[in-house]
Amino acid sequence: ILNVEQSPQSLHVQEGDSTNFTCSFPSSNFYALHWYRWETAKSPEALFVMTLNGDEKKKGRISATLNTKEGYSYLYIKGSQPEDSATYLCALIKAAGNKLTFGGGTRVLVKP
Amino acid sequence: GAVVSQHPSRVICKSGTSVKIECRSLDFQATTMFWYRQFPKQSLMLMATSNEGSKATYEQGVEKDKFLINHASLTLSTLTVTSAHPEDSSFYICSARRSGGITDTQYFGPGTRLTVL
């Protein structure tokens, strides 16, 4: 069983504050890591695909980093806004694999 | 671009009946489609991978005779839950990928909530 862990499971953030959370995964046979944002009653939205150790990706106020040697990725939200409220999912692809193995998600609630 | 629709969004059925869920890529051709299931408070779990025109590949523990997958065209895949029972009640969600690159983004539908009475 491939364990992809996300922490914390949920967090409350005050509007305007910045926050970050973690996706941990087995470092062996790493191929790629996907991040998604999933708002209630909508389709999960692709944020990033990360493949290289040390990768940093940015989309607006959201950014992510990747450390494949130690097996973790951080996702950062700068200056959180209520529209950032969602569940953020990471998903791992192992080498020679085809499928995404998802973590349990971090549910973010931004309070005005 | 890259919109995936799923129908129906909710379905309630009686035990023993079959339910078909459709997944469509609206503005791109999907060489591969995936079906996931999510139980309450759990992560998305891959059920099967389907490539257009070929048989689906099922994950360990997923009964292929119970969860029939058809990927008849590059824009449509269907999941049929046959002889549904209450334990099949779950959230089912599909995704579609344009090309064969495994790092390529999977685009998700909005999901289907199945309740079996």
Side-chain angles (χ1 to χ4, degrees):
Chain A
I1 296 176
L2 187 58
N3 286 326
V4 179
E5 304 284 344
Q6 289 188 249
S7 63
Q9 285 187 326
S10 65
L11 61 96
H12 291 187
V13 186
Q14 200 65 40
E15 182 176 358
D17 287 352
S18 297
T19 189
N20 65 85
F21 37 92
T22 309
C23 173
S24 302
F25 49 86
S27 57
S28 60
N29 298 319
F30 174 88
Y31 200 88
L33 188 81
H34 293 237
W35 278 101
Y36 286 86
R37 174 170 60 199
W38 195 1
E39 296 179 65
T40 302
K42 294 186 178 179
S43 303
E45 174 197 355
L47 290 175
F48 308 114
V49 180
M50 309 182 79
T51 56
L52 299 176
N53 184 46
D55 246 357
E56 288 190 35
K57 300 232 173 172
K58 188 175 180 181
K59 185 176 182 178
R61 293 178 291 97
I62 300 176
S63 61
T65 61
L66 178 68
N67 184 322
T68 60
K69 293 183 179 179
E70 296 184 34
Y72 64 85
S73 176
Y74 291 137
L75 193 129
Y76 301 87
I77 305 175
K78 184 178 178 182
S80 303
Q81 299 297 309
E83 58 264 30
D84 297 327
S85 297
T87 297
Y88 291 82
L89 298 171
C90 67
L92 178 72
I93 296 182
K94 299 288 276 184
N98 187 41
K99 62 180 183 179
L100 294 175
T101 299
F102 280 87
T106 293
R107 186 168 182 171
V108 175
L109 179 63
V110 181
K111 297 185 284 187
Chain B
V3 177
V4 176
S5 71
Q6 203 171 324
H7 179 79
S9 58
R10 285 183 181 272
V11 58
I12 301 173
C13 69
K14 292 182 179 179
S15 186
T17 60
S18 295
V19 174
K20 181 185 282 189
I21 303 169
E22 290 189 349
C23 177
R24 292 181 185 273
S25 56
L26 297 184
D27 52 2
F28 67 99
Q29 292 187 326
T31 56
T32 308
M33 288 185 166
F34 304 84
W35 286 95
Y36 296 83
R37 179 169 56 187
Q38 185 183 38
F39 291 110
K41 300 191 177 182
Q42 294 188 25
S43 57
L44 294 174
M45 297 293 293
L46 182 67
M47 298 174 66
T49 302
S50 73
N51 292 293
E52 184 262 341
S54 60
K55 289 185 178 180
T57 302
Y58 289 81
E59 294 299 302
Q60 192 172 8
V62 177
E63 299 175 59
K64 61 181 180 181
D65 294 330
K66 180 163 192 61
F67 299 100
L68 300 178
I69 291 172
N70 185 282
H71 192 164
S73 76
L74 285 171
T75 58
L76 173 64
S77 177
T78 59
L79 168 67
T80 301
V81 183
T82 62
S83 187
H85 288 95
E87 58 266 30
D88 299 323
S89 298
S90 188
F91 184 78
Y92 295 86
I93 190 168
C94 69
S95 69
R97 190 177 66 199
R98 279 193 179 98
S99 71
I102 64 173
T103 59
D104 288 350
T105 298
Q106 290 185 25
Y107 298 96
F108 282 82
T112 297
R113 174 76 58 191
L114 170 64
T115 303
V116 184
L117 303 176

